[in-house]
Amino acid sequence: MFDQHRNKFPLDDDTWNDYISCFHVMQVPAKTVLLKEGEVSKKMFLIEKGCLRAWFNSNGKDITFQFFFENETVASVESFRKKIPSLVTIQSVEPSLVWWIHKRDVDRIIGSLKTFPALQDLFIDAVFERMFEYMKHFFSFIKDTPLQRYLNLLKEKPQLVQRIPQRYIASYLGITTVHLSRIKSKLARNK
Amino acid sequence: MFDQHRNKFPLDDDTWNDYISCFHVMQVPAKTVLLKEGEVSKKMFLIEKGCLRAWFNSNGKDITFQFFFENETVASVESFRKKIPSLVTIQSVEPSLVWWIHKRDVDRIIGSLKTFPALQDLFIDAVFERMFEYMKHFFSFIKDTPLQRYLNLLKEKPQLVQRIPQRYIASYLGITTVHLSRIKSKLARNK
DNA sequence: GCTGTTTAATAACAAATGTTATTGTTACCG
DNA sequence: CGGTAACAATAACATTTGTTATTAAACAGC
């Protein structure tokens, strides 16, 4: 599982082995909550098989904010970093095989590498990348119609549309399931 | 101008003086473009007096994404960091007194401090903070009605509503000027 | 395989928001 | 100053999207 990530991290083998030995594996059924909105995140996850989603409660409704698939690391980044209550719940969509690591282990290892510029750069790049993703997602909410956003999703992440239930996709696109259904039938008619 | 920021940076005096000596001052009239959408950002700005906004073109319409006021640093972060074309235009709203620094000077000074963990942490914190702001802004677009977003803005940044023209506020809230006008008149009626 | 539950499609209607046009007001520039 | 352009408010109308209810299909647990 971890071998395929080995070359991404400029660590010596001892540190790398220390790092991966901190991971625990778990098999969770669908709809398992891994982190609850309002709790402080103490774990980071890595998905071997399955998928997760981050969602938040909006006036009683469940709004999906992000999806995660195989080989992605998952954390409520703002909560993990700033030790504040998470804005989102993290939950499995499919039955999933997930590795997790304690924040204290991450902190310990990062702490021992404070003066390792290459790793810091990598980390900063990752944060920027995520920020950039958020920006683009936000921009698309303003620039595009729900139809355009759905077409984008079909184009950019076709497997997502296959694997994820409709209602999560609808809330991810910022619309109701009824409206998504209308969009789909409109597309089907014009085909 | 720079003295009030001195204590924020854990730099020795020489480095600090090197840093601030790289800044140039300029006085710009309202509506001056400091960075154009599509260009790669090569400057970072610090506002002494006045205000700027970041906006992007959406099907011919001008959508404001962010406002900046006195003592804030301004850059198209993703463009500045990743050397990619900026997603936004940065433009003055009021006549403004602005300091600016070349990216190459920022890079040089940061480069010479690669192994300075305290500064790296500060930088990472700042990036996280901005990412967090984007998240919250995004969440509010989904959770709140335009009326609620306007009330939030009135509460959180009353001075912004005073200083910024209506149409920029409307696009920042994700609505048309007509709709913002309706919201205002509804609020006035209910008072 | 049956049965209850969850999910998706659809229709009818309601609400929110956008569009265009008009008008009065304000701000800028010669 | 005076004239022109930019801006904000408002109204009438159009469009988009949400809400609720109904039904059929898919799925989950026995």
Side-chain angles (χ1 to χ4, degrees):
Chain A
M1 175 59 194
F2 293 95
D3 292 350
Q4 62 187 295
H5 300 282
R6 178 65 186 94
N7 62 346
K8 293 187 208 156
F9 295 93
L11 300 174
D12 59 83
D13 285 344
D14 281 350
T15 310
W16 172 255
N17 288 329
D18 178 10
Y19 176 59
I20 66 173
S21 73
C22 294
F23 275 90
H24 312 262
V25 71
M26 62 180 176
Q27 171 73 51
V28 297
K31 300 191 186 180
T32 308
V33 170
L34 304 183
L35 171 71
K36 223 178 188 164
E37 183 178 340
E39 286 177 1
V40 176
S41 167
K42 295 205 172 59
K43 292 176 185 162
M44 195 176 78
F45 305 97
L46 174 60
I47 305 174
E48 175 161 348
K49 183 79 193 78
C51 66
L52 309 182
R53 71 187 181 105
W55 63 273
F56 59 91
N57 179 299
S58 170
N59 312 314
K61 266 173 243 155
D62 161 332
I63 308 284
T64 298
F65 175 55
Q66 220 176 346
F67 295 107
F68 305 91
F69 295 92
E70 281 81 6
N71 287 313
E72 293 189 301
T73 54
V74 183
S76 173
V77 278
E78 80 290 354
S79 176
F80 197 77
R81 171 79 188 181
K82 300 174 48 155
K83 298 175 192 151
I84 56 178
S86 173
L87 297 178
V88 298
T89 293
I90 293 176
Q91 191 180 32
S92 58
V93 176
E94 302 172 347
S96 304
L97 187 62
V98 175
W99 294 85
W100 62 271
I101 184 171
H102 273 296
K103 176 167 165 56
R104 62 163 180 271
D105 289 323
V106 175
D107 286 346
R108 178 174 55 78
I109 292 163
I110 292 205
S112 73
L113 289 165
K114 269 265 145 75
T115 54
F116 202 147
L119 196 80
Q120 294 272 333
D121 276 357
L122 208 66
F123 183 65
I124 293 174
D125 280 344
V127 176
F128 265 100
E129 199 48 54
R130 184 145 296 182
M131 185 165 89
F132 194 48
E133 290 300 318
Y134 287 175
M135 271 182 81
K136 285 193 293 186
H137 193 199
F138 178 77
F139 278 33
S140 124
F141 258 77
I142 296 187
K143 286 178 124 135
D144 304 331
T145 63
L147 170 62
Q148 287 172 310
R149 282 203 295 285
Y150 180 66
L151 290 173
N152 277 348
L153 198 64
L154 274 178
K155 195 173 140 209
E156 304 292 337
K157 310 194 178 174
Q159 84 294 357
L160 189 152
V161 183
Q162 304 304 318
R163 288 171 69 174
I164 304 285
Q166 203 95 310
R167 71 214 129 95
Y168 298 151
I169 295 180
S171 76
Y172 180 72
L173 295 174
I175 57 180
T176 58
T177 55
V178 176
H179 195 60
L180 176 54
S181 185
R182 277 198 282 248
I183 287 173
K184 288 178 68 176
S185 75
K186 188 178 170 186
L187 283 175
R189 253 180 289 125
N190 293 356
K191 271 275 158 77
Chain B
M1 176 58 193
F2 293 94
D3 292 349
Q4 62 187 297
H5 300 282
R6 180 64 187 94
N7 62 345
K8 294 188 209 157
F9 296 93
L11 300 174
D12 61 82
D13 285 345
D14 280 352
T15 309
W16 171 255
N17 288 328
D18 178 10
Y19 176 58
I20 66 173
S21 73
C22 294
F23 275 89
H24 312 263
V25 70
M26 63 180 175
Q27 170 73 49
V28 297
K31 298 189 185 181
T32 306
V33 170
L34 302 184
L35 172 71
K36 224 177 188 165
E37 184 177 339
E39 287 178 359
V40 176
S41 167
K42 294 205 172 59
K43 292 175 185 163
M44 195 177 78
F45 305 98
L46 174 60
I47 306 175
E48 175 162 348
K49 183 79 193 78
C51 65
L52 308 182
R53 71 188 181 105
W55 62 272
F56 59 91
N57 180 300
S58 170
N59 312 312
K61 267 173 243 155
D62 159 334
I63 308 286
T64 299
F65 175 56
Q66 219 177 344
F67 295 106
F68 305 91
F69 295 92
E70 281 81 5
N71 288 313
E72 293 190 299
T73 54
V74 183
S76 173
V77 279
E78 80 292 352
S79 176
F80 197 77
R81 172 79 188 182
K82 300 175 47 156
K83 296 175 190 151
I84 57 178
S86 174
L87 298 179
V88 298
T89 294
I90 292 175
Q91 190 181 33
S92 59
V93 176
E94 302 172 348
S96 304
L97 186 63
V98 175
W99 294 84
W100 62 272
I101 184 170
H102 273 295
K103 176 167 166 54
R104 62 165 178 270
D105 289 324
V106 174
D107 286 346
R108 177 174 56 77
I109 292 163
I110 292 204
S112 72
L113 289 166
K114 268 267 145 82
T115 54
F116 200 149
L119 196 79
Q120 295 271 335
D121 276 357
L122 209 66
F123 183 64
I124 293 174
D125 280 344
V127 176
F128 266 100
E129 197 50 52
R130 183 146 298 181
M131 184 165 90
F132 193 49
E133 290 299 318
Y134 286 175
M135 271 181 81
K136 285 193 294 186
H137 192 199
F138 179 77
F139 278 33
S140 124
F141 258 77
I142 297 185
K143 286 178 123 137
D144 303 331
T145 63
L147 169 62
Q148 288 172 310
R149 282 204 294 287
Y150 180 66
L151 289 173
N152 277 348
L153 198 64
L154 273 178
K155 194 173 141 208
E156 305 293 336
K157 308 193 179 175
Q159 84 293 357
L160 189 153
V161 183
Q162 303 304 319
R163 287 171 70 173
I164 304 285
Q166 204 94 311
R167 73 215 126 93
Y168 298 151
I169 294 179
S171 76
Y172 180 73
L173 295 175
I175 57 180
T176 58
T177 55
V178 176
H179 196 60
L180 176 54
S181 186
R182 277 198 282 248
I183 287 173
K184 288 178 68 177
S185 74
K186 187 178 172 188
L187 283 175
R189 255 180 289 123
N190 293 356
K191 271 278 159 72

